[in-house]
Amino acid sequence: MLDLRARLGQLRGQTAPAVVTPDAEWSERLARLRLLARERQGHTPQDTPALPGVELAPGLRLHEVRVSALRLKLAGLDLPDALRPPWDPESTVAIDQLRLFDTETSGLCGGAGLKVFLLGVLRWQGDGWLLRQYLMTSPAAEEALVRAWVDECAGDAHLVSYNGKRFDVPAMRTLETLHGLASRAHEAAHWDLLYPVRRAFRGVWSDCRLVTAERMLVGRERHDDLPGSEAPRAWREFLARGHTRDLLRVMQHNRYDLEALLRVFKAMLQVPASAPRVPVRKGRIPKSKAA
Amino acid sequence: MSLNAVVSDVESSFGAVEPEAPDRVAALVGRLKRKYQGCITAEAVTPAQPGRYQPIPDHLDPRLRAALQSRGIRELYSHQAQAWRVLHEGAHCVIATPTASGKTMCFNGPVLNAALQHEAKALYLFPTKALAQDQVAELMELNRAAELGVRAYTFDGDTPSDARQAVRTKGDIVVTNPDMLHQAILPHHTKWAQFFQSLRFIVIDEVHSYRGVFGAHVANVLRRLQRICDFYGVRPQYICCSATIGNPQQHAQALTGLPMHAICDSGAPRGASHLLFWNPPPINPDLGIRASARSQVSKLARLTLKAGLKAIVFAQSRLMVEVLTKYLKDVFDHDPRKPARVRAYRGGYLPDERRLTEKLMRQGAIDAIVSTSALELGVDIGSLDVALLCGYPGSIAATRQRLGRAGRRQQSALGVMVASSDALDQFVVRNPSYFLDQSPEHARIDPDQLLILLDHIRCAAFELPFTEADRYGERDIREFLEYLSEEGVLHRDGARWHWIDDSYPANAINLRSVADGNFVVVDRTNGKQTIIAEVDYSSAALTLYEGAIYMVQSVPWQVEKLDWVGRKAYVTRTHVDYYTDAIDYTRLKPLAEFGQAQSGEGAAQHGEVHVVRRVTGYKKIRYYSHENIGYGPVNLPDQELQTTSVWWRLSPQAIDREFRTRFEALDGFLGAAYALHTVATLLSMCEPRDLGKAVGSGDNDWSAQVSSKGRGEMRSASGEVLDVNAVAEFAPAVYLYDNYPGGIGLSRPLFERREELLSAAIGLVSGCRCGPGCPACVGPILSGDEQRAPKSSALRVLALLRVPEGAAAERIEFAALPAPGLH
Ligand SMILES: [Zn+2]
């Protein structure tokens, strides 16, 4: 009698004849080759640079970066003390209530099996921005990560995100339920910039993704950024083989996204809610008649 | 159901069963018996049964009591009262009473009561969307009657996304199907947390339909549901409903993994019902050729309609549904200005088409409906008088379900089972006591089929991490978790396995079939492109090859182009006088052996095999005359299948000694395969299509089948016809295999009961009174070919395989039954 593995191996070939385009087949085979080559090399120092930050709980690291007030001014990352954005003129929010956040996940499909392995939060503390990245180096630390999220959202926190209402907050809420933490984090006030950006620029830009908003409103292009779609693979690579190189690039990508979020947020403060729907040239913010 | 049958051999008690009051059904029965005495091999009458009633229990919420009263319900049938009592005591139960006995009230009462008194929630599972929608309509009616305020919603693929939130949070009763539970609810269980936390009842209707592969999938979906319930700390009560099967309690327990209380004694009133077994008259008795079942059924349908009665006709295949519909339409619907009196109903029709037919049936606007097994389930089509079965459905349970479609009202009903010339049909019609005395088959499921199990462990791991101590079903599944970890899908972290893959595993798993991808049939007559039907992957190769005639409501289209990769068949309207039937052949290659035993002068083996099925061409068959008027070639990819099988082979020495020519031996093996397949179907109590048969060399060098000319023919692995004498080593094997990827657990018991199986096959063949062989024993023989004697060759093969005296072969009931013979 065959053992389980051998039977499975044989059976694997027989599921529905998948429609494989030659391209997909090649890229898969190449990916396998690369993996093989890397395995043959063993762990080189380039594959396993050290992860930044400190271990907050078993399997959960916290990496903190502070940006002082002076550098902010120079970099154009400053904000007024109190914010009353055009898309929500009824609210006034103090700068230290803000929690700009973004997550990196094991996939995009949603559902109970989706893992959030990196949570980045940007908040104002004292006289500058404090960037916190919670990195899950083991799925066992999920509960600790969720608790960190709940703490970040506590009190009068005001969330700022890009598509967080439909993706990140429900994903975190799923995790809260899974760990029996019935918090009110999902009820926290939340400015999801995707909506004002869409209202102002849908049909004007080719799309309303964050990188597009960043390019059009801020005039910045990213160069050495790891595409977000590579994040799931990078995390699995880390879990399977301990390779940190791409995981570090995911952390960098997350920081890029948070900076972009901050810059887009600042830019959108200047865009009236009823912005004229005219094409915007790269890097220019349309001047409103009222301004 | 205990069919309180009065069995009578027609010759001895002709006219003994007279109706008390003449009604139209009884009159029809009398006429049939007078005119077609020679065709009727048995009659059974189930007398009318009065209702038995019990009061509505006191603990019922007064609002619900008022709602029932407003609909005229002042007492319950005894089985309903029993169900309410059992549920009130906290037990799980399965209700197996006949069609139209008021099964839904068995669960709706307790569910509504709990919703009113405790805000308890309930999940209803129906096998199809249509049944779910019927159910919600019924609930809402009851609800409206007394403004109960209980909210029942369907949740299926048609539920708009903005309404889903309301269903999840506000629904007291959510009515859905196993597919939605599998793909949308369980993987997103956290969104349903509120619902699960108050979940009190899980109702699973039509549990008998969850058998075989589909059943194994559903049992695994229910295991996942159980994990989720455990997670939210609830222990809901299960209420299962089943049509008549032999083992409702055991089946419901296998499906849910929970102890069940069975309620099988119906207290609902029933009209009398007549059942006739009908064998078409012989045309050539020596070759066992009879008039076709199809012609007999269409005659019976004509007599039914002319008597002013309504009929449902069940055919064995979609093709036969179309052919029979055409024959009946030629008689009753030749005037296109009048509304149609005959309609077809089968899988593959678009939902709107089916809904329309159901509606027309309920309104009484149609006089005859021709259907496949699609109407076995409880789709509401109103009441009918006569059920005509074109061919034995393959199981006692399915036969009873189909017959149960007639006689919903409290009046007499008639069912006629018309046998085809196939061995199974002939056995049943000549041995009516087999059907009438035996309880229906047991529904079988084996949830622990390797591939199915692996699929659902993926899904379960996605839904909640597994821990060391976790069980899944009864099993320790650590080996599976290790395997999935090696694949990189799971990550083990201490004592837990976490899902880390970026996929959504439920999307890749279809509960209804293993191979995915339905084909759509696109009509491009007159330059437009309209989808007229859908065909599932497994039957596409047999029905949508280029040149095929594809029929919808018996209107023929011709397939012009088949886009296999794009899953589309392009058809145009045609007006030909023939239909087409595919010719296919099968070859097998053993991959691994699980067990082996000596078997007479050969060996019996059980193991895993690779099956390749190829459609090589098709026949054109003219309507009415059924003559073969031509062939066409087909060029399609092979259908591949890896599954479990039992097989027998004889030593080459024994073959050389016992057979004068290889042709003779080949005929013997093909005949033996035919007979073994028939008895294996009866022994396994499965449907004939669940089990495949094949003859070939053990090493995939060649395979053999009966050619279109009725003779044994050998083909090489690449499909060319071979000369029997040119093969170096001639060592044929006969295979019976589970006709589903991965297997469904049929072949192992067949291997274990191999002695019984061989004895029964010998009994079947030796007891047949034909000359050289016939459809009732070793398969049809064409006239003019009588000098061949496959029957005696098959008997020799079977006898050589039997363990000689001493190792006393057990005799099964089957062999002890009267030998079949022609009248
Ligand atoms: Zn015979």
Side-chain angles (χ1 to χ4, degrees):
Chain A
M1 174 136 183
L2 291 171
D3 72 351
L4 175 73
R5 191 152 308 131
R7 285 191 68 200
L8 286 169
Q10 283 183 354
L11 283 164
R12 231 175 339 182
Q14 78 163 67
T15 41
V19 183
V20 180
T21 62
D23 281 355
E25 202 177 1
W26 278 116
S27 69
E28 263 181 46
R29 290 175 64 185
L30 285 171
R32 274 197 294 273
L33 273 178
R34 270 200 298 277
L35 215 74
L36 215 73
R38 234 175 276 167
E39 257 163 35
R40 223 176 284 125
Q41 287 165 8
H43 295 239
T44 63
Q46 298 97 293
D47 287 330
T48 54
L51 292 170
V54 294
E55 186 145 72
L56 208 58
L60 185 68
R61 297 187 75 84
L62 172 61
H63 174 49
E64 284 191 337
V65 182
R66 240 167 242 282
V67 190
S68 74
L70 182 64
R71 282 177 55 207
L72 291 179
K73 266 268 191 284
L74 291 172
L77 288 173
D78 53 329
L79 284 181
D81 286 346
L83 300 124
R84 189 184 295 167
W87 62 84
D88 186 11
E90 307 297 306
S91 310
T92 306
V93 174
I95 188 169
D96 58 3
Q97 285 176 262
L98 296 178
R99 306 285 185 273
L100 288 79
F101 78 100
D102 185 38
T103 65
E104 304 302 328
T105 57
S106 62
L108 293 171
C109 51
L114 183 76
K115 297 278 184 285
V116 176
F117 67 85
L118 180 62
L119 166 66
V121 181
L122 199 55
R123 59 192 288 179
W124 188 263
Q125 208 171 58
D127 61 349
W129 290 110
L130 171 64
L131 172 90
R132 283 180 173 161
Q133 285 183 302
Y134 298 92
L135 173 70
M136 198 163 81
T137 57
S138 152
E142 198 169 69
E143 187 177 338
L145 178 86
V146 181
R147 288 189 185 279
W149 160 255
V150 170
D151 288 346
E152 291 286 355
C153 298
D156 57 0
H158 194 112
L159 305 179
V160 180
S161 75
Y162 208 84
N163 198 26
K165 281 194 176 169
R166 289 205 48 193
F167 187 78
D168 308 62
V169 170
M172 293 311 297
R173 197 178 175 197
T174 289
L175 298 178
E176 288 170 34
T177 310
L178 280 173
H179 292 282
L181 303 169
S183 90
R184 310 188 72 86
H186 61 274
E187 289 171 7
H190 188 165
W191 287 328
D192 184 337
L193 301 183
L194 177 63
Y195 298 92
V197 166
R198 265 201 197 144
R199 270 195 298 277
F201 302 109
R202 169 183 270 163
V204 181
W205 299 345
S206 59
D207 62 64
C208 290
R209 293 181 309 143
L210 179 59
V211 280
T212 310
E214 184 184 16
R215 190 171 66 239
M216 302 304 277
L217 293 174
V218 189
R220 279 166 60 103
E221 297 270 0
R222 301 185 195 181
H223 295 292
D224 57 342
D225 190 25
L226 183 82
S229 57
E230 285 286 295
R233 189 197 49 73
W235 190 55
R236 283 200 303 276
E237 183 89 341
F238 167 74
L239 290 178
R241 273 172 280 277
H243 292 182
T244 49
R245 194 183 48 190
D246 282 351
L247 191 61
L248 285 166
R249 295 186 66 201
V250 175
M251 294 183 77
Q252 184 195 43
H253 166 80
N254 180 251
R255 290 193 295 271
Y256 275 147
D257 272 358
L258 284 171
E259 184 182 338
L261 181 63
L262 177 55
R263 290 185 187 276
V264 168
F265 179 49
K266 187 175 168 186
M268 285 304 291
L269 292 173
Q270 307 302 317
V271 178
S274 54
R277 295 166 72 90
V278 291
V280 182
R281 287 228 310 281
K282 192 174 166 181
R284 289 262 188 86
I285 297 166
K287 291 244 164 20
S288 76
K289 284 173 203 141
Chain B
M1 173 174 75
S2 74
L3 188 78
N4 294 323
V6 183
V7 188
S8 56
D9 225 6
V10 172
E11 278 112 305
S12 60
S13 67
F14 173 62
V17 189
E18 283 295 342
E20 283 153 31
D23 58 30
R24 280 190 292 186
V25 167
L28 177 63
V29 174
R31 208 153 55 238
L32 292 175
K33 282 162 64 176
R34 275 189 302 279
K35 260 188 96 175
Y36 301 100
Q37 196 189 338
C39 295
I40 299 169
T41 64
E43 180 188 8
V45 182
T46 312
Q49 194 194 69
R52 281 171 293 145
Y53 303 90
Q54 286 187 16
I56 292 173
D58 293 334
H59 63 77
L60 197 72
D61 190 279
R63 289 166 284 179
L64 185 54
R65 183 183 297 271
L68 293 177
Q69 279 181 358
S70 75
R71 299 199 57 208
I73 302 170
R74 290 189 157 72
E75 49 193 352
L76 299 175
Y77 295 139
S78 56
H79 64 283
Q80 294 171 335
Q82 191 190 354
W84 289 24
R85 207 160 43 238
V86 166
L87 290 167
H88 191 64
E89 286 159 8
H92 309 291
C93 71
V94 53
I95 301 139
T97 54
T99 322
S101 57
K103 264 184 281 201
T104 51
M105 188 51 74
C106 294
F107 52 80
N108 277 342
V111 164
L112 287 169
N113 199 47
L116 287 170
Q117 294 186 336
H118 312 289
E119 295 182 11
K121 309 221 175 203
L123 178 70
Y124 283 24
L125 291 175
F126 288 82
T128 66
K129 255 196 278 186
L131 289 172
Q133 281 155 3
D134 281 0
Q135 183 59 37
V136 168
E138 192 177 323
L139 271 170
M140 290 333 280
E141 217 172 284
L142 190 60
N143 201 10
R144 260 197 307 276
E147 293 174 353
L148 296 177
V150 174
R151 283 153 302 194
Y153 298 115
T154 50
F155 187 77
D156 57 34
D158 299 339
T159 310
S161 52
D162 51 351
R164 292 186 173 205
Q165 169 80 9
V167 175
R168 289 195 290 257
T169 53
K170 300 205 174 67
D172 297 303
I173 302 172
V174 174
V175 184
T176 185
N177 53 57
D179 314 78
M180 281 304 276
L181 183 60
H182 155 65
Q183 289 201 326
I185 298 178
L186 295 176
H188 281 286
H189 64 87
T190 56
K191 291 185 183 166
W192 293 80
Q194 224 180 318
F195 179 79
F196 280 118
Q197 279 155 2
S198 317
L199 184 60
R200 172 83 179 275
F201 289 108
I202 295 171
V203 174
I204 312 174
D205 200 5
E206 314 266 6
V207 288
H208 63 279
S209 67
Y210 302 134
R211 59 180 195 271
V213 173
F214 185 37
H217 273 297
V218 173
N220 277 288
V221 172
L222 293 175
R223 288 169 170 179
R224 285 159 53 197
L225 173 62
Q226 196 56 49
R227 284 184 89 218
I228 301 301
C229 288
D230 289 346
F231 177 77
Y232 290 103
V234 288
R235 296 211 160 271
Q237 274 178 276
Y238 283 73
I239 312 168
C240 299
C241 291
S242 172
T244 317
I245 50 174
N247 59 339
Q249 181 177 26
Q250 186 242 336
H251 179 60
Q253 288 177 353
L255 194 67
T256 60
L258 295 166
M260 288 275 154
H261 190 107
I263 296 167
C264 305
D265 189 12
S266 168
R270 261 205 312 267
S273 79
H274 302 257
L275 168 61
L276 300 179
F277 273 35
W278 191 284
N279 206 0
I283 293 172
N284 179 339
D286 196 39
L287 293 183
I289 297 171
R290 295 175 172 275
S292 70
R294 169 182 60 221
S295 64
Q296 301 286 296
V297 165
S298 85
K299 176 166 72 186
L300 287 165
R302 288 198 304 272
L303 292 171
T304 304
L305 264 60
K306 284 180 179 152
L309 298 166
K310 291 193 188 302
I312 180 163
V313 178
F314 281 104
Q316 295 293 77
S317 68
R318 295 174 177 191
L319 177 61
M320 204 41 66
V321 165
E322 297 296 345
V323 171
L324 275 169
T325 306
K326 176 178 162 53
Y327 290 0
L328 292 177
K329 277 181 168 294
D330 284 351
V331 177
F332 293 104
D333 288 336
H334 45 76
D335 184 347
R337 289 163 303 180
K338 292 188 182 158
R341 295 175 67 190
V342 180
R343 282 186 79 87
Y345 185 104
R346 61 173 176 82
Y349 283 0
L350 300 177
D352 287 350
E353 170 103 37
R354 293 216 255 174
R355 294 300 91 75
L356 175 68
T357 304
E358 288 162 18
K359 198 172 124 211
L360 291 170
M361 275 313 284
R362 279 195 300 269
Q363 292 168 347
I366 300 173
D367 294 325
I369 185 166
V370 186
S371 172
T372 52
S373 57
L375 275 179
E376 262 171 42
L377 296 178
V379 176
D380 183 10
I381 50 164
S383 31
L384 298 155
D385 309 299
V386 178
L388 301 171
L389 276 53
C390 184
Y392 179 59
S395 74
I396 295 173
T399 307
R400 291 213 173 146
Q401 269 149 251
R402 292 179 190 191
L403 292 170
R405 271 307 195 169
R408 288 182 150 228
R409 288 175 292 201
Q410 297 181 24
Q411 29 177 274
S412 323
L414 167 64
V416 186
M417 201 288 283
V418 180
S420 77
S421 54
D422 281 356
L424 195 56
D425 288 43
Q426 287 299 312
F427 176 80
V428 171
V429 80
R430 294 174 194 181
N431 300 284
S433 56
Y434 169 81
F435 177 87
L436 297 167
D437 296 349
Q438 254 198 49
S439 62
E441 289 81 3
H442 292 213
R444 298 165 53 94
I445 47 165
D446 183 354
D448 292 337
Q449 294 299 312
L450 185 63
L451 289 184
I452 294 176
L453 193 59
L454 186 66
D455 277 348
H456 288 279
I457 290 172
R458 278 175 204 274
C459 295
F462 178 92
E463 286 148 12
L464 288 171
F466 274 102
T467 69
E468 274 286 347
D470 276 353
R471 284 285 178 283
Y472 179 81
E474 297 295 306
R475 260 173 182 257
D476 178 359
I477 52 155
R478 271 177 297 187
E479 202 181 350
F480 284 82
L481 299 174
E482 296 294 348
Y483 176 83
L484 292 173
S485 304
E486 276 168 41
E487 285 213 316
V489 170
L490 299 185
H491 179 76
R492 185 174 183 172
D493 214 324
R496 276 173 181 258
W497 281 269
H498 297 265
W499 181 263
I500 55 163
D501 198 50
D502 57 356
S503 65
Y504 184 89
N507 272 352
I509 299 158
N510 184 340
L511 306 186
R512 309 275 171 167
S513 67
V514 178
D516 199 6
N518 280 0
F519 283 68
V520 290
V521 182
V522 183
D523 175 22
R524 53 181 186 191
T525 314
N526 306 328
K528 281 184 291 186
Q529 298 221 345
T530 323
I531 293 177
I532 55 167
E534 247 183 65
V535 173
D536 57 80
Y537 179 86
S538 58
S539 46
L542 292 170
T543 52
L544 294 178
Y545 45 87
E546 290 171 9
I549 300 298
Y550 187 81
M551 285 179 280
V552 175
Q553 294 292 352
S554 82
V555 173
W557 274 268
Q558 186 153 39
V559 179
E560 287 191 325
K561 188 173 160 4
L562 177 61
D563 174 1
W564 187 263
V565 175
R567 303 279 194 266
K568 281 195 183 80
Y570 296 97
V571 301
T572 50
R573 186 76 173 80
T574 179
H575 299 275
V576 292
D577 65 343
Y578 65 86
Y579 58 93
T580 53
D581 203 3
I583 309 168
D584 64 325
Y585 79 93
T586 303
R587 59 196 163 85
L588 267 104
K589 181 175 145 192
L591 296 170
E593 196 180 286
F594 303 156
Q596 176 168 14
Q598 199 185 338
S599 181
E601 294 195 49
Q605 283 154 291
H606 170 239
E608 192 141 34
V609 294
H610 184 242
V611 182
V612 179
R613 189 169 181 194
R614 176 179 295 179
V615 179
T616 53
Y618 62 91
K619 293 179 273 195
K620 296 178 181 176
I621 300 164
R622 178 167 286 148
Y623 281 118
Y624 295 105
S625 72
H626 298 283
E627 62 187 307
N628 199 333
I629 55 166
Y631 292 91
V634 171
N635 188 10
L636 283 178
D638 289 346
Q639 309 288 297
E640 295 186 50
L641 172 76
Q642 196 161 320
T643 182
T644 50
S645 171
V646 55
W647 65 95
W648 292 264
R649 55 207 323 184
L650 277 178
S651 72
Q653 295 82 348
I655 295 175
D656 286 346
R657 194 184 67 233
E658 295 288 330
F659 297 94
R660 278 170 303 159
T661 64
R662 286 183 172 182
F663 277 116
E664 203 179 271
L666 201 58
D667 272 348
F669 273 91
L670 289 165
Y674 190 94
L676 283 168
H677 182 257
T678 303
V679 293
T681 303
L682 284 166
L683 217 67
S684 316
M685 299 196 278
C686 66
E687 304 205 7
R689 64 159 186 270
D690 294 340
L691 205 58
K693 66 169 192 288
V695 170
S697 72
D699 44 18
N700 201 21
D701 268 0
W702 55 267
S703 64
Q705 47 277 313
V706 179
S707 75
S708 50
K709 297 182 188 70
R711 286 167 172 254
E713 172 184 273
M714 273 169 62
R715 282 172 187 268
S716 70
S718 53
E720 299 109 46
V721 177
L722 291 178
D723 176 2
V724 179
N725 293 310
V727 178
E729 200 192 340
F730 182 70
V734 43
Y735 298 88
L736 297 176
Y737 59 89
D738 290 25
N739 203 7
Y740 293 95
I744 42 169
L746 293 172
S747 50
R748 181 182 208 97
L750 289 176
F751 175 71
E752 283 156 5
R753 299 171 73 183
R754 58 192 177 271
E755 291 302 323
E756 210 178 326
L757 196 62
L758 282 167
S759 304
I762 290 171
L764 176 81
V765 179
S766 63
C768 188
R769 286 191 214 152
C770 66
C774 76
C777 56
V778 295
I781 294 184
L782 300 189
S783 60
D785 213 11
E786 295 92 333
Q787 73 285 0
R788 285 164 65 238
K791 187 177 175 183
S792 72
S793 305
L795 266 179
R796 245 175 298 155
V797 169
L798 293 167
L800 285 169
L801 285 171
R802 184 146 61 156
V803 177
E805 68 293 338
E810 311 148 57
R811 286 172 67 83
I812 59 160
E813 234 174 294
F814 181 90
L817 289 168
L822 293 169
H823 292 271

